Amino acid sequence: MILRTHYSGQISADMDGKEVMLAGFAHEIRDLGGIAFLVLRDREGMAQITLVKKLLGKDVFKMARSISRESVVMVRGNVKAEAKAPRGYEILPTEIQVLSAAQVPLPLDPTEKVECELDTRLDSRFMDIRRPSVLAAFEIESAVLCSLRDYFHKKGIVEVFTPKIVAAATEGGTDLFPISYFEKEAFLNQSPQLYKQMLMGAGMDRVYEIGPIFRAEEHDTRRHLNEAISIDLEVSFADDKDVMEILEEAVAGAYSYVADNCRRQLGVLNMELEVPRLPFKRITYTRALELAEEKAGARMQWGDDLDTETERFLGESIGEHYFLIDWPSSIKPYYTLPYEDKPEICRGFDLMHPRMELASGAQRVHDYSLLVERIKEKGLDPDGFEFYLRAFRYGMPPHAGWGLGLSRLVMTMLNLENIRDAVIFPRDRRRLVP
RNA sequence: GUCCGGAUGGUGUAGUGGCCCAUCAUGAAGGCCUGUCGAGCCUUCGACCCGGGUUCGAAUCCCGGUCCGGGCGCCA
């Protein structure tokens, strides 16, 4: 029972005379007396249904013009090429069915004539997404995923899924959400990191995972959420330089895919996408500190993580994507491989957009003893990592990988103000519904 | 967590002690209108976050609370 033969975007003036069925929402009704225009909106755009009193008869005309905005309607009718109509065509209906009438008043204005606060929009997200510009961003996000999966597939990288329910907070650092798991305590996983490394020990050679991660941090910013989608990669017999190349190609490739395949959505968002040029600049952590000190008088100590101010200064002065490399070993996780000749710095890197960090990665420690040593140095207990460490005792290929935040990628690509604009149902410190 | 700002019809807003039984837009209800393009015109409807206080008088000032926004912090 598919109640449509076409989306609005599939109809054109050269289909003059053809019978079509459209289904969607009543976007607006403009009533001029003897003639009225019902604008039907679907995923692809709008179609004008022209209601002529004389042709429809009094009763049908009266019913049709009284349809409440945002009601779900099906229209059967004939395409008529008409220079006076938007997009050069209109539909002269033979049948109009209201499949579900919308109550009034609406919780927000889907025609985007009246502004709406983010909080109001999120409370009524189902209606917010009816707004074409909101929908466009999520369609583009889907295209980004399509591009990434296609790229990984071509590179012979295997898609995997690892558990989101885990036994212990073994990675240290970020806070985890505890959950009740039958008679045991469990947590929501903060990252697939340990699992994808174990899969290197399993000989899967190159894997990626796209899935949720959970962080119980009480941060409250426009770029953090407590549930996010992470794009994670791990490659055996590769080093940090190799996976940085994969990362920049994947990101630039996503831009280029969106530019080619999402023209309509970009048009709705009124933007032109500039595909970043490769290769991205590589800037060492030490050099970044020097730049910040020279030009902005920043007072960061070598060994501190970059504060927001420094990060923003670097972004503004570089003005495009860049990698921050050769970080102090002390501020990167235990699984990051230190340089052999200079162990105070390591083979960890961050991919930065001028506005924020998008990804971080590293060549990993694959030597069992070094890994145990590094875990102890970070003040963690190797016993808690036994499930992970076992995979390093029976032959572990050298490997490298990264994790990339999907919403941040989309947010920076589309210049969205808030990460919540890139997540359909965001979860933050306060919001658990819808 | 912390600092700063905010909360007015369904939605977005104006209003810093009396000019406010509250502005404008959008919307809704009704009416006129056969080519609208965010149609136009006429009539009507609909709101000061909660609790306490100051004052002759509070949307406006003060105190407490709740909620929201922005910055910073936190973010292996």
Side-chain angles (χ1 to χ4, degrees):
Chain A
M1 84 114 193
I2 293 178
L3 292 173
R4 75 155 62 82
T5 55
H6 296 76
Y7 281 107
S8 60
Q10 296 168 320
I11 298 178
S12 57
D14 56 25
M15 289 162 66
D16 187 69
K18 188 175 168 65
E19 187 187 77
V20 296
M21 286 164 74
L22 292 174
F25 298 86
H27 187 72
E28 323 187 77
I29 294 152
R30 283 190 279 274
D31 181 1
L32 276 70
I35 189 168
F37 302 98
L38 163 64
V39 179
L40 180 148
R41 187 191 67 246
D42 62 24
R43 204 171 79 174
E44 296 203 353
M46 322 262 187
Q48 173 169 294
I49 316 300
T50 302
L51 311 165
V52 181
K53 195 178 196 172
K54 278 192 210 156
L55 297 178
L56 287 173
K58 226 176 172 178
D59 294 341
V60 177
F61 183 77
K62 198 178 166 191
M63 181 283 289
R65 61 186 265 212
S66 70
I67 293 171
S68 60
R69 293 163 73 225
E70 295 305 311
S71 291
V72 175
V73 295
M74 187 283 285
V75 173
R76 185 195 300 275
N78 297 297
V79 178
K80 183 185 169 203
E82 173 57 72
K84 283 184 284 190
R87 287 164 292 275
Y89 76 89
E90 63 190 7
I91 308 291
L92 295 177
T94 51
E95 183 187 349
I96 297 173
Q97 273 185 41
V98 177
L99 303 172
S100 172
Q103 276 186 11
V104 295
L106 301 170
L108 51 81
D109 170 29
T111 66
E112 306 190 79
K113 283 181 222 167
V114 180
E115 284 301 300
C116 196
E117 287 193 0
L118 182 61
D119 204 48
T120 306
R121 294 172 44 210
L122 292 177
D123 283 340
S124 298
R125 192 56 141 168
F126 67 94
M127 186 147 295
D128 182 45
I129 295 172
R130 294 188 194 182
R131 308 200 309 161
S133 65
V134 178
L135 177 61
F138 294 118
E139 288 177 331
I140 288 172
E141 183 170 83
S142 169
V144 165
L145 285 167
C146 183
S147 161
L148 291 170
R149 285 202 163 96
D150 184 54
Y151 173 75
F152 292 145
H153 180 71
K154 284 187 178 134
K155 286 257 167 192
I157 305 170
V158 176
E159 181 163 16
V160 296
F161 296 98
T162 63
K164 303 306 147 202
I165 300 174
V166 298
T170 48
E171 282 187 62
T174 195
D175 290 326
L176 304 195
F177 288 108
I179 58 168
S180 146
Y181 193 74
F182 304 109
E183 70 281 4
K184 289 179 182 140
E185 183 187 43
F187 298 90
L188 293 177
N189 207 181
Q190 64 177 104
S191 152
Q193 181 60 31
L194 306 189
Y195 288 96
K196 54 182 188 160
Q197 287 192 262
M198 289 160 71
L199 294 179
M200 298 300 97
M204 292 188 82
D205 205 66
R206 25 182 75 192
V207 302
Y208 76 96
E209 173 166 13
I210 299 177
I213 57 172
F214 304 91
R215 300 189 176 185
E217 300 294 337
E218 299 205 2
H219 34 47
D220 194 5
T221 76
R222 290 188 289 177
R223 57 189 188 284
H224 292 279
L225 289 174
N226 296 291
E227 177 179 341
I229 301 299
S230 171
I231 299 151
D232 268 89
L233 175 91
E234 207 67 34
V235 180
S236 286
F237 308 105
D239 64 14
D240 45 332
K241 311 293 181 288
D242 300 319
V243 294
M244 280 159 72
E245 280 174 26
I246 293 176
L247 179 52
E248 63 188 353
E249 275 181 25
V251 167
Y255 271 77
S256 143
Y257 183 91
V258 168
D260 291 344
N261 295 281
C262 301
R263 297 232 173 90
R264 183 179 60 76
Q265 288 87 347
L266 290 168
V268 168
L269 292 169
N270 197 21
M271 69 178 296
E272 279 180 40
L273 202 59
E274 202 180 314
V275 178
R277 277 167 317 192
L278 297 181
F280 297 161
K281 282 188 180 138
R282 271 70 167 160
I283 296 170
T284 66
Y285 166 90
T286 305
R287 180 72 194 131
L289 279 198
E290 284 167 11
L291 286 171
E293 203 177 322
E294 276 167 28
K295 292 183 188 160
R299 50 199 179 281
M300 298 214 19
Q301 299 278 5
W302 197 93
D304 288 349
D305 204 350
L306 297 186
D307 59 27
T308 311
E309 193 188 351
T310 306
E311 211 173 82
R312 217 182 1 228
F313 162 77
L314 290 170
E316 274 164 25
S317 49
I318 295 164
E320 55 188 5
H321 291 83
Y322 62 100
F323 282 108
L324 274 176
I325 61 170
D326 298 350
W327 287 75
S329 303
S330 57
I331 50 173
K332 283 290 175 189
Y334 57 81
Y335 47 74
T336 309
L337 184 68
Y339 281 95
E340 234 174 285
D341 52 343
K342 218 179 170 194
E344 65 275 17
I345 58 171
C346 67
R347 293 175 176 272
F349 60 85
D350 282 4
L351 171 62
M352 309 295 297
H353 178 273
R355 287 176 67 195
M356 70 189 79
E357 178 189 332
L358 297 183
S360 67
Q363 179 161 4
R364 321 296 191 187
V365 177
H366 68 279
D367 179 81
Y368 175 79
S369 330
L370 180 58
L371 187 55
V372 172
E373 191 185 307
R374 292 276 293 149
I375 289 172
K376 287 180 182 161
E377 273 171 27
K378 294 280 176 184
L380 300 165
D381 179 5
D383 288 349
F385 294 81
E386 177 54 20
F387 77 100
Y388 166 68
L389 287 171
R390 286 186 73 202
F392 289 76
R393 278 188 221 124
Y394 303 95
M396 172 61 83
H399 59 280
W402 42 257
L404 165 68
L406 173 65
S407 307
R408 286 189 174 193
L409 178 60
V410 172
M411 177 187 180
T412 52
M413 178 184 281
L414 302 181
N415 206 225
L416 304 173
E417 287 294 310
N418 195 306
I419 197 153
R420 290 159 184 79
D421 283 315
V423 178
I424 292 183
F425 294 114
R427 287 290 173 264
D428 62 31
R429 178 72 185 86
R430 301 188 184 94
R431 184 174 287 278
L432 195 52
V433 174

